[in-house]
Amino acid sequence: MFRTLVVLLILLTIIMICCIGTVSKRVVRNREHVLHLIRTAVFTAVCYTGFILVPSKYYHLAVFMDGLYFLSTDWLVVYLMLFAASYTQISPPSKWPRRMIGFLAGIDSISFLVNTFTHHMFDLKTVMSASLGVEYWDVQLHPLHAVHRVFVYGIVLYSLLILTYRFIKSPVIYKNKYGSILFQTMAVVGLNIICSVMDTYFDYSVILYAFLAISICHLALYASPKKLFEKINSTIMEDSVVGLFAYDNAGLCVGVNEMAKNLFASGEDIYTVAEKYLADWKETYKDRAERVIDTDQVVVKGGTEMDVHVTYQKFFDEKGRDLGCCFQFEDRTEVAREFREEQYRATHDILTGLLNRNAFADEAQKILSDAQEPYCMICANIQDFKLINELFGTEAGDKLLIAQADMIRKAEGHDSVSARIYADKFCTLMPKCDYNEQQFLENMSITMDIGMNSPFKLHYYLGVYDIEDVTEPVWTMYDKATMAIDAIRGSYEEYVSYYKDEMLRHIIEEKEVLGGFDKAIEEKQFCMYLQPQFANNGKIVGAEALVRWIHPEKGMISPGVFIPVLEKSGLISRLDLYMWGNAAKTLEKWKEQGRGDLTISVNISTKDFHFLDVCEAFRMLAKQYDFDVKNLKLEITESVLMENIKEIKTTIDRLHALGYDIEIDDFGSGYSSLGMLKDINADILKLDMIFLQETKNVDRSKMIIKNIIAMSKELGMPVITEGVETKEQVDFLTQVDCDMFQGFYFAKPMPLESFEKEYG
Ligand code: C2E
Ligand code: CA
Ligand code: CA
């Protein structure tokens, strides 16, 4: 028996040494504390084994060894306490108690070492055991030994208390972590107390110390963390927001968590549902051999559709044998909804629900890339939309835009796409065969009449571009459709305009005119041409100044090309000032040369009245140049007079006051008003021959011309007819008493030098 116990102790010591070896190599939590504890336990076991094996004749050695054993128990409990504090994470806030305990353990240890000589703690006596037939050392404890006991049990008690506290307070899954160590420690302490009380010849608790050390090493470092991990894992699985179906290798469902139960709740048993699900899955994915398959599915739960991300995973052991599989179901309904909403916001116009600019370009590109039939692009634009916002408020404006978007949506056919590009600019791409202009216009007019409770009449424009080349960039197509609108913008009679290549050419020309204007003025590329004017007796009376742009690369550009562009931009006033100056300078020169009888007529554009103080300009000319103001005739087209008759009348009066004569240009070409003639105090009437050319009923026209001339005579206004091309015209005009002529029949506009050479 004695020998068995010794062998057992030696064996346990070897195991502990092995434990130290393995633990030292591992990086685990609490490793240092466990190592200290187990090393001290080895020391305790060695000291105790040494002590009981000391032969009876070596009394002092035995006392020394037993003293070592006792002092080792001091350090054993100290390290047990340090381990327990770290394991439970309960330690006193200050370091003083720990230092105090270390100090006391040191004193106690010294006391045991000194005891070898003083025997104040204990003494030994050899006793012969009759039952065992061996001699053993009987330990005689002295009263001072009780101090050691109190110290040791006090520390153990503290360790037990903190373990108990954690054991009671922690959730169920943590009970095992603290409980196993707590109960084992209690057992060791219990046995130690029993051995002490019964005064056995062998301290059995030493064996338990060793067991406890090994057990703590195993539990604290391996078993408990592993168990805890498993428990937490299964709790996570159970409470996870991800649904889970787990199967064994035969495809039988072995686990379903709460989320999965919720997701697949039906009248049927959930395990049956799970197994059916796996069977269906295997059927669908029978060609897929991957270990993990991901997919998005729609699961109907209680009548509502849910977007679920499904992950299927197969498990194998290290030898590749099938262990089973599982499904994870992640409810992505909310994420998918948010994603859809975000995508909607990114691609749609929130007000009207139509696509936005970028999405339109993408969609249109897609449609056109596999277009099998001709397509057209239609742009819609409300005239003066800004005004609607200002007059009726943005709410009414929004209402109108929504109504228009609805109309556009209605007009859409198959394979079409519509968008609100910006503000009130809408665009639709549709197959040409679906485009019904009449229908579009009708719908538009209904939309425009959305009841603003106002007589305000809305006008809108459609620009249509018949796509010729589907590879053209979408925005080029859009630009062409809007170019078509630009061609009719401002008109109240037209609603629809179709893109023509001239429009693009026109725009390019416009850009060239505007871009080259400054340089042209600077480099004097604009030239004054003169077209002679004759009296009906054949005598030269003067000329009309007509501008020519002598472009260094393009040659001569006629005013028909650039005048309208310059008028649109307001640049015309700069050109006219230049021309008027030229004319005045020429008149000055002629006066000096003794040809003060010749006149020059200059053109005043309608726009000049907006951008210039015309009177002031002519007042300054008269100051700057020495010429007879009567010789500079000012041509104003009748359209100017239509615009703002009152203001123009004052201007004309002021020009008259300066001494200038006013000619009414192009009379008969537009909306000539005979009534106007009596209001305007003009000096000369300039009749346009177009009047004669454009009518089929020549006789009626002749009659009108005759009467106009007669009437203007009565008003005291001489008449000059321009655009005279034939002898017949001259004869007729002479017959009806026209005073002067200008036209190709007599001469074409010519440079100043030519004019002077011929008529100077
Ligand atoms: P307009 O003032 O009516 O000038 C007469 C136009 O008729 C001139 O065209 C002239 O060349 C053309 N013409 C003259 N006789 C005949 C004829 O027998 N048959 C035909 N078919 N045409 C004839 P042009 O020079 O091309 O000028 C066109 C228009 O440009 C002018 O019409 C005038 O409105 C404007 N314009 C010309 N120069 C100036 C200018 O310096 N300033 C402004 N504001 N406008 C100008
Ligand atoms: Ca003219
Ligand atoms: Ca004219």
Side-chain angles (χ1 to χ4, degrees), residues 649 652-653 656 662 664 676-683 717:
K649 240 184 103 174
I652 289 173
D653 288 346
H656 270 148
I662 308 292
I664 302 215
M676 176 201 72
L677 289 181
K678 76 173 164 38
D679 296 328
I680 292 296
N681 203 1
D683 303 283
M717 274 196 287

Side-chain angles (χ1 to χ4, degrees), residues 285 288 290 345 399 528 594 725:
Y285 293 96
R288 306 264 302 258
E290 302 103 295
R345 276 196 297 271
K399 216 169 113 189
M528 183 180 75
E725 289 180 348

Side-chain angles (χ1 to χ4, degrees), residues 229-415:
F229 176 71
E230 281 165 6
K231 277 184 184 164
I232 288 177
N233 230 353
S234 74
T235 310
I236 289 170
M237 282 299 166
E238 192 49 37
D239 293 351
S240 173
V241 290
V242 175
L244 192 84
F245 282 167
Y247 304 85
D248 65 9
N249 55 4
L252 295 175
C253 183
V254 290
V256 175
N257 74 352
E258 263 319 295
M259 187 65 189
K261 277 183 203 160
N262 262 336
L263 206 58
F264 289 91
S266 65
E268 243 180 307
D269 167 47
I270 189 70
Y271 284 83
T272 318
V273 171
E275 280 159 19
K276 245 192 234 163
Y277 187 87
L278 177 65
D280 288 348
W281 177 276
K282 282 188 171 165
E283 180 56 33
T284 315
Y285 293 96
K286 57 176 178 269
D287 301 329
R288 306 264 302 258
E290 302 103 295
R291 218 169 72 81
V292 178
I293 300 174
D294 273 274
T295 184
D296 289 312
Q297 284 186 352
V298 175
V299 173
V300 181
K301 182 186 161 188
T304 52
E305 285 190 348
M306 296 177 74
D307 294 279
V308 177
H309 182 75
V310 185
T311 309
Y312 167 75
Q313 190 172 2
K314 284 192 259 190
F315 301 102
F316 301 96
D317 68 2
E318 55 290 348
K319 288 184 181 161
R321 287 174 300 203
D322 186 7
L323 291 180
C325 61
C326 83
F327 283 107
Q328 288 180 42
F329 304 100
E330 201 185 330
D331 178 3
R332 291 204 181 155
T333 313
E334 197 55 23
V335 181
R337 190 183 57 77
E338 273 171 22
F339 177 72
R340 276 195 294 269
E341 271 179 22
E342 205 164 292
Q343 224 177 14
Y344 183 85
R345 276 196 297 271
T347 53
H348 286 73
D349 165 46
I350 302 302
L351 178 71
T352 60
L354 289 180
L355 287 185
N356 64 17
R357 203 186 138 83
N358 291 344
F360 174 76
D362 292 345
E363 284 302 310
Q365 198 79 65
K366 258 186 246 160
I367 291 176
L368 291 171
S369 64
D370 42 41
Q372 301 295 327
E373 52 188 321
Y375 268 78
C376 62
M377 191 168 281
I378 304 144
C379 278
N381 199 193
I382 303 166
Q383 192 185 16
D384 295 330
F385 180 71
K386 249 208 251 149
L387 203 67
I388 293 162
N389 276 335
E390 276 162 26
L391 291 177
F392 305 103
T394 42
E395 222 171 273
D398 286 354
K399 216 169 113 189
L400 181 64
L401 292 175
I402 293 167
Q404 196 181 351
D406 288 343
M407 181 292 284
I408 286 173
R409 236 181 254 119
K410 247 189 268 163
E412 264 186 13
H414 70 286
D415 291 336

Side-chain angles (χ1 to χ4, degrees), residues 376 378 407 411-413 430-444 462 464 496 498:
C376 62
I378 304 144
M407 181 292 284
E412 264 186 13
M430 56 159 57
K432 232 173 123 177
C433 62
D434 285 345
Y435 171 63
N436 179 339
E437 183 186 304
Q438 213 42 49
Q439 193 63 48
F440 236 103
L441 290 177
E442 269 170 34
N443 289 341
M444 279 291 250
L462 291 183
V464 185
V496 193
Y498 289 81

